[in-house]
């Protein structure tokens, strides 16, 4: 531990005459400091900050709710449900407006369980908000992936897991809805391995499914949990079976089911290795659980294993160096910005992940991009639906900072050191439209509105090099309506869109500046700049992109802004 000896001597000691007293007092200051450091270490070790990801409808909301019920953070089921955007064709921007109002409260859901402080970061399931989810994944230390037993691995899950793998985030898999008919357990494990590209180790195993679902066998605790649909998994329904040949098993689940379980467990032990926690922590292997979230079945096994093996806050990379959470100096980054739903109050909430040191209220911190000191008098923490002003927060915690327009997604705060956190990448949008100003008297408002909405990460803005026309790129069509609506209601500006055929926005780079300049000159009409001024090639079609790549082999084309 390094002490800044020049600053240790507090004012109260400076005029003390007795050296003896001074020494004693100084020692007690050291001890206090030690105590604080130890306290912080313990706090950090307690934290588990994670996200639950799934394809819509697999059961993410239901599982979140059951976890909160276990932690006592909510008392009744249904509390998280209202956070969801209606699915299907009926979704419109009014749904999103409604959702925006309540989702501030569910952005982070914190609860205590077995002496751990657990922070669940909410990730929108709707595919049009995939970009939001990608960003939230930069602020977690691990994830739980929920898969529907009948549907298997779906598209959105594949995309989200790809992002986790880029960052080597440890993954636990929960296969849900065992109370319904679904795919065979072994087939599902194969599918997970193939489609998600992760190695799996089952930790529990189902006995039947659908009508014949009888429970799960906990492979690492060697316990049989008998299924009941009443939503409470009680101790009486859990039995330890160290030896599966025990005839009592036949009495409980029936001879056929008992034999099948014996065979399957033997196969598991032959095919799958034991869980090596260090491999899980490196993101190389994923434990798998089976259950039924709605019936609160198999959820406790999942949670118990999670608190046991999931990582506490991990070191994080900045442009300059890797920052360890146990370092003294405070650092953190903003991964999400929420605008106030009430247009009369333009303030926003920036969500900051604390990465090292201790964040303290009313303390000056350095905003790296603006090169300015900022102080926060009302930083907020979130306990399920409850918001509280916090005096201090530790690595792994998420703090809501009231913001009047100082923050952009990805901004870093430190207590002085010049550091910039990496890793809030932008991905190529899927849909593109030209945006036109529909009211020339409100040009200023339009530009301000667009800039602020882009800072929030609602969509991406590109400016064409030649024409200087602005293009909005989004993941889904819904955002175009959201932008139009919010520009009008929050900024008094109006815009229209013009269709545009673009296949992908590719960030381009080249080691040789001369070659890059030649490329830009030749492709001028397709060159744009993103919000940070980075060079982007707007490819009209997949075929066109391939040809351009072949013609310019020295130029690199990237599909995310982080390369
Ligand atoms: P999501 O957040 O991943 O989109 O999924 P959500 O939890 O909302 O679950 C989607 C649907 O699946 C819900 O039904 C939910 O009740 C149901 N569900 C979740 N877990 C289980 C399970 O273990 N077994 C079964 N049989 N169903 C489950 P819904 O009809 O869309 O909504 P609701 O009317 O039940 O609220």
């Amino acid at each position: 531990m390094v002490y800044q000896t020049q600053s240790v001597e507090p004012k109260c000691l400076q005029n003390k005459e007795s050296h003896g007293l001074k020494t004693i007092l100084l020692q007690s200051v050291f001890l206090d400091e030690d105590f604080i450091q130890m306290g912080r270490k313990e706090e950090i070790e307690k934290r588990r900050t994670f996200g639950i990801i799934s394809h819509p409808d697999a059961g993410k909301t239901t599982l979140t709710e059951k976890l909160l019920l276990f932690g006592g953070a909510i008392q009744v089921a249904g509390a998280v449900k209202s956070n969801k955007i209606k699915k299907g064709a009926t979704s419109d921007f009014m749904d999103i407006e409604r959702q925006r109002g309540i989702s501030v409260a569910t952005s982070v859901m914190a609860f205590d369980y077995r002496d751990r402080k657990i922070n669940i970061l909410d990730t929108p399931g709707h595919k049009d908000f995939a970009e939001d989810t990608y960003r939230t994944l930069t602020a977690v230390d691990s994830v739980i992936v929920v898969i529907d037993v009948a549907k298997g691995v779906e598209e959105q899950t594949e995309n989200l897991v790809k992002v986790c793998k880029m960052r080597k985030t440890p993954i636990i898999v929960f296969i849900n809805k065992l109370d319904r008919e679904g795919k065979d357990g072994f087939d599902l494990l194969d599918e997970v391995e193939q489609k998600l590209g992760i190695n799996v180790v089952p930790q529990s195993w189902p006995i039947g499914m659908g009508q014949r679902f009888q429970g799960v066998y906990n492979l690492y605790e060697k316990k049989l949990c008998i299924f009941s649909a009443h939503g409470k998994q009680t101790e009486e329904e859990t039995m330890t079976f160290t030896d599966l040949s025990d005839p009592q098993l036949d009495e409980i689940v029936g001879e056929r089911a008992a034999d099948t379980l014996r065979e399957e467990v033997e196969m598991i032990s032959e095919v799958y290795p034991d869980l090596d926690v260090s491999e899980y922590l490196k993101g190389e292997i994923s434990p798998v659980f089976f259950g039924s979230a709605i019936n609160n079945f198999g959820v406790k096994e999942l949670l118990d294993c999670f608190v046991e093996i999931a990582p506490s806050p991990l070191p994080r990379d900045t442009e300059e160096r890797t920052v360890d959470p146990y370092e003294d100096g405070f650092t953190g980054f903003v991964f999400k910005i929420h605008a106030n739903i009430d247009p009369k109050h333009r303030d926003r909430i920036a969500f900051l992940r604390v990465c090292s040191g201790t964040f303290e209220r009313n303390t000056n911190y350095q905003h790296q991009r603006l090169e300015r000191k900022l102080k926060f008098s009302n930083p907020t923490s979130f306990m399920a639906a409850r918001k509280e002003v916090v005096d201090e927060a530790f690595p792994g915690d998420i703090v809501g900072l009231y913001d009047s327009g100082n923050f952009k997604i990805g901004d870093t705060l430190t207590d002085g050191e010049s550091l910039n956190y990496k890793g809030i990448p932008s991905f190529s949008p899927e849909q593109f439209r030209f945006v036109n100003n529909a009211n020339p008297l409100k040009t200023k408002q339009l530009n301000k509105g667009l800039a602020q909405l882009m800072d929030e990460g609602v969509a991406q803005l590109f400016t064409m090099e030649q024409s200087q026309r602005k293009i909005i790129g989004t993941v889904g069509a819904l955002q175009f309506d959201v932008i139009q609506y919010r520009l009008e209601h929050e900024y008094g500006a109006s815009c229209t869109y013009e269709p545009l055929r673009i296949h992908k926005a590719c960030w381009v780079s080249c080691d040789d500046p001369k070659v890059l300049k030649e490329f830009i000159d030749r492709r001028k009409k397709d060159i744009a700049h993103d919000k940070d001024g980075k060079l982007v090639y707007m490819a009209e079609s997949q075929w066109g992109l391939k040809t351009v790549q072949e013609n310019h082999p020295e130029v690199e084309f990237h599909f995310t802004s982080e390369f």
Side-chain angles (χ1 to χ4, degrees):
M1 205 170 298
V2 182
Y3 287 114
Q4 307 281 323
T5 36
Q6 72 276 22
S7 62
V8 158
E9 187 167 339
K11 271 210 178 88
C12 65
L13 289 176
Q14 286 164 6
N15 298 324
K16 294 276 181 257
E17 284 177 16
S18 154
H19 281 299
L21 176 62
K22 193 167 172 175
T23 313
I24 293 166
L25 284 173
L26 260 175
Q27 271 172 353
S28 77
V29 172
F30 278 127
L31 285 176
D32 272 1
E33 288 266 309
D34 256 340
F35 187 71
I36 292 167
Q37 308 266 2
M38 269 171 53
R40 189 170 73 226
K41 184 166 177 278
E42 255 171 46
E43 290 292 341
I44 299 171
E45 280 166 0
K46 269 191 200 174
R47 267 127 178 107
R48 299 287 180 274
T49 301
F50 78 109
I52 305 182
I53 54 177
S54 74
H55 192 87
D57 259 354
K60 178 178 78 72
T61 315
T62 313
L63 179 65
T64 307
E65 203 161 86
K66 301 300 174 191
L67 294 176
L68 293 177
L69 282 168
F70 270 113
I74 54 168
Q75 310 308 324
V76 284
V80 189
K81 278 270 168 210
S82 52
N83 177 30
K84 291 189 59 170
I85 301 174
K86 261 193 296 174
K87 288 154 239 159
T90 55
S91 276
D92 62 18
F93 58 85
M94 282 318 291
D95 282 329
I96 293 160
E97 281 300 288
R98 248 176 264 128
Q99 192 259 358
R100 215 150 58 84
I102 36 187
S103 68
V104 171
T106 57
S107 288
V108 188
M109 290 161 281
F111 66 95
D112 295 318
Y113 183 75
R114 287 192 12 201
D115 203 31
R116 299 270 192 260
K117 186 167 185 289
I118 297 172
N119 293 313
I120 308 183
L121 305 200
D122 191 31
T123 54
H126 200 291
K127 85 167 181 22
D128 287 9
F129 292 87
E131 191 87 15
D132 263 4
T133 302
Y134 298 151
R135 283 191 291 258
T136 299
L137 290 178
T138 63
V140 303
D141 296 303
S142 68
V143 298
I144 293 180
V145 175
V146 184
I147 292 171
D148 182 325
V149 68
K151 296 193 177 139
V153 176
E154 294 170 90
E155 187 198 343
Q156 185 71 350
T157 314
E158 276 186 65
N159 294 336
L160 294 170
V161 168
K162 262 188 217 149
V163 177
C164 293
K165 283 177 56 193
M166 269 168 63
R167 316 181 64 85
K168 297 195 168 40
T169 309
I171 298 172
I172 296 182
V173 176
F174 182 70
I175 300 194
N176 190 27
K177 305 196 186 181
L178 264 288
D179 58 318
R180 289 209 184 141
E181 291 301 331
K183 300 187 180 184
D184 168 75
F186 287 107
D187 289 350
L188 258 176
L189 293 184
D190 284 351
E191 188 177 327
V192 169
E193 291 206 321
Q194 275 163 22
K195 285 200 179 164
L196 300 182
I198 49 180
N199 295 319
V200 296
V201 202
Q203 294 301 290
S204 70
W205 195 250
I207 304 164
M209 63 176 67
Q211 297 277 343
R212 295 165 292 103
F213 183 50
Q214 300 209 51
V216 291
Y217 182 63
N218 185 328
L219 293 158
Y220 70 98
E221 285 187 351
K222 308 220 176 301
K223 279 184 180 162
L224 179 72
C225 310
I226 302 294
F227 174 68
S228 73
H230 54 47
K232 280 188 247 104
Q233 198 180 325
T234 60
E235 287 299 321
E236 298 86 71
E237 286 154 345
T238 307
M239 275 156 274
T240 303
F241 273 97
T242 38
D243 181 4
L244 279 180
S245 60
D246 189 334
Q248 217 196 336
L249 181 67
D250 303 71
E251 280 166 37
I252 299 167
V253 298
E255 214 174 296
R256 233 171 103 186
D259 281 345
T260 311
L261 178 67
R262 287 180 190 116
E263 270 169 37
E264 291 181 340
V265 169
E266 203 182 319
M267 250 170 89
I268 291 169
S269 66
E270 280 164 16
V271 176
Y272 297 99
D274 285 343
L275 175 64
D276 178 341
V277 176
S278 66
E279 283 187 37
Y280 155 73
L281 292 173
K282 282 189 262 168
E284 284 168 8
I285 203 152
S286 295
V288 179
F289 288 85
F290 291 81
S292 166
I294 195 112
N295 291 298
N296 208 352
F297 191 79
V299 178
K300 189 170 180 301
E301 280 71 32
L302 172 76
L303 183 57
D304 285 344
C305 174
F306 171 82
V307 293
E308 201 69 38
I309 68 169
S312 54
L314 297 169
R316 262 152 215 280
D317 289 338
T318 66
E319 305 278 349
E320 296 78 9
R321 66 182 182 87
T322 302
V323 176
D324 191 273
Y326 296 94
E327 287 181 23
D328 292 346
F330 157 75
T331 61
F333 69 91
V334 170
F335 64 95
K336 175 170 174 163
I337 292 176
H338 238 290
N340 199 322
I341 193 163
D342 178 355
K344 287 192 212 89
H345 298 97
R346 198 58 73 68
D347 59 344
R348 315 187 286 181
I349 298 181
F351 290 84
L352 175 96
R353 150 114 194 185
V354 180
C355 298
S356 67
T358 310
F359 172 89
E360 288 173 356
R361 185 153 86 102
N362 281 327
T363 304
N364 274 315
Y365 291 122
Q366 179 76 6
H367 187 306
Q368 291 298 328
R369 184 177 50 84
L370 298 182
E371 296 180 353
R372 252 178 68 194
K373 294 262 187 236
L374 294 177
K375 183 152 88 173
F376 306 93
S377 53
N378 286 312
T380 310
S381 77
F382 303 84
M383 284 293 277
R386 238 175 44 235
K387 283 200 289 179
E388 271 170 12
V389 171
V390 279
D391 287 320
E392 55 179 18
F394 300 98
D397 282 342
I398 309 299
V399 184
L401 305 173
Y402 287 96
D403 169 43
S404 51
N406 288 320
F407 284 114
K408 278 187 189 186
I409 282 175
D411 279 346
T412 301
L413 279 185
T414 74
D415 63 0
E417 189 178 346
S418 181
L419 287 178
N420 291 285
Y421 275 98
K422 285 192 192 178
I424 310 252
S426 298
F427 291 82
S428 172
E430 306 281 322
Q431 305 202 16
F432 299 85
R433 292 184 199 170
F434 276 125
V435 54
N436 298 323
N437 186 0
N439 182 352
L441 294 176
K442 302 277 173 151
T443 307
K444 240 167 109 180
Q445 286 86 335
L446 180 80
N447 289 338
K448 183 173 174 201
L450 279 176
Q452 291 207 345
L453 293 179
M454 300 308 132
D455 289 351
E456 265 180 53
V458 177
Q460 293 181 52
L461 191 71
F462 301 93
T463 309
M464 294 306 293
E465 164 118 346
Q466 217 167 29
S467 64
Q468 290 295 303
R469 289 192 75 182
K470 288 188 164 55
I471 293 172
I472 290 181
T474 67
V475 177
L478 271 177
Q479 270 93 342
F480 289 109
D481 293 342
V482 173
I483 292 167
Q484 214 165 27
Y485 178 86
R486 289 188 58 189
L487 282 173
E488 198 176 323
H489 288 82
E490 292 171 32
Y491 299 91
S494 52
C495 74
T496 56
Y497 298 118
E498 219 175 289
L500 181 64
R501 224 187 92 199
I502 289 180
H503 162 64
K504 279 249 174 338
C506 316
W507 284 265
V508 283
S509 66
C510 181
D511 289 339
D512 186 341
K514 247 171 73 191
V515 176
L516 188 63
K517 188 171 178 311
E518 257 169 48
F519 169 74
I520 297 168
D521 289 344
R522 276 187 58 191
R523 301 279 159 191
K524 217 167 199 121
K525 75 169 195 18
D526 300 320
I527 296 290
H529 293 269
D530 75 1
K531 64 177 188 328
D532 301 319
K534 282 191 183 161
L535 267 185
V536 179
Y537 173 71
M538 305 296 245
E540 263 186 27
S541 65
Q542 198 169 359
W543 176 83
L545 175 61
K546 202 168 154 262
T547 317
V548 172
Q549 279 174 312
E550 282 166 6
N551 290 343
H552 299 273
E554 284 178 71
V555 177
E556 284 187 70
F557 295 76
H558 313 269
F559 298 101
T560 85
S561 64
E562 195 185 82
F563 45 84

